[in-house]
Amino acid sequence: QQLTQIAGSVYAPAAGAKYPQSSLGRSLKATAQLIKADIGLEVACVDIGGFDTHADQGGADGHFSFLLGQFAKSLLAFYTDLQAQMGRVTLVTMTEFGRRLRENSSGGTDHGHGSVMFVLGDNVNGGKVYSRWPGLGKDDLYGPGDLAVTTDFRDVMGEIVQKRLGNANLATVFPNYADFQMLDLLR
C-alpha cells in the first residue's frame, strides 16, 4: 500500500537534479524517492545494461562513451538530489566482468578480468584510489591481456555490510571467503 502510494506520487528531485531519461536514471530517481520517503529502505539494487560491447565501441563519440556519459549523469543527479541524505547513503557501483586492455578486430573489447568499483557517499573516505596498481606491461597483465584483480569485491562489500548495515557476520553473507582485507573506505 505505502509503496503503491509512493510510486503513484509526483516526485520532484531536490537541488535542480536532472536524471537522464535512461533506465539507470529512472531507477536511481525511484531509489532516491524511496530513500526520501523514509520507509526503512536498507538496500536497493539497480542495473544498467548495454556494456557488453564486443564490437564498434567507438571513441569519444561512440556507444561505450555514450553509456559512460549516461552512467556519470545518473550518478551526478542521484548525488545532487540526495545531498541532505548522503550521510546515511552509500552507493556502490560494480560490474560482473571487466574489459580487455586491447581492442579486438571488431572495434570493441572482449570480457576481461579486472574491473573498477566506485563508492559514493558522505561517509566514504574519498578522494583516492584504493588499489595496488600492477601496471600495463605485458608481465603485469593477467592471462591474454587482462588487468589483474588486485582487490576482491567482497572486501569492498564486506566493509560496507559491516560498517553501514551493522552486520559483522561476514562469513554468512559471503560464504567460503574468510580473508577479508578491510580497506578503510568508510568513516
Side-chain angles (χ1 to χ4, degrees), residues 24-37:
L24 180 62
R26 287 187 297 274
S27 294
L28 286 176
K29 183 177 179 181
T31 303
Q33 184 178 12
L34 288 173
I35 290 167
K36 288 181 180 181

Side-chain angles (χ1 to χ4, degrees), residues 74-159:
S74 297
L75 292 182
L76 174 62
F78 185 79
Y79 185 77
T80 301
D81 186 13
L82 290 175
Q83 276 300 295
Q85 291 80 18
M86 286 310 291
R88 61 186 186 97
V89 172
T90 303
L91 181 138
V92 179
T93 70
M94 61 186 291
T95 180
E96 64 183 291
F97 54 82
R99 304 304 309 182
R100 287 264 165 83
L101 177 62
R102 307 243 186 273
E103 184 176 83
N104 63 27
S105 62
S106 300
T109 50
D110 295 322
H111 290 202
H113 198 67
S115 185
V116 66
M117 296 174 75
F118 296 105
V119 183
L120 176 73
D122 287 351
N123 56 353
V124 176
N125 291 320
K128 65 185 256 183
V129 175
Y130 291 82
S131 178
R132 293 178 314 279
W133 179 245
L136 298 176
K138 184 177 180 179
D139 292 337
D140 301 322
L141 298 177
Y142 175 84
D146 295 346
L147 295 175
V149 172
T150 61
T151 304
D152 193 294
F153 77 95
R154 293 168 290 196
D155 294 337
V156 174
M157 297 304 292
E159 184 171 341

Side-chain angles (χ1 to χ4, degrees), residues 159-179:
E159 184 171 341
I160 292 167
V161 166
Q162 189 174 63
K163 291 182 179 176
R164 297 295 293 145
L165 296 175
N167 185 347
N169 193 355
L170 297 180
T172 300
V173 179
F174 301 101
N176 303 317
Y177 186 75
D179 190 27

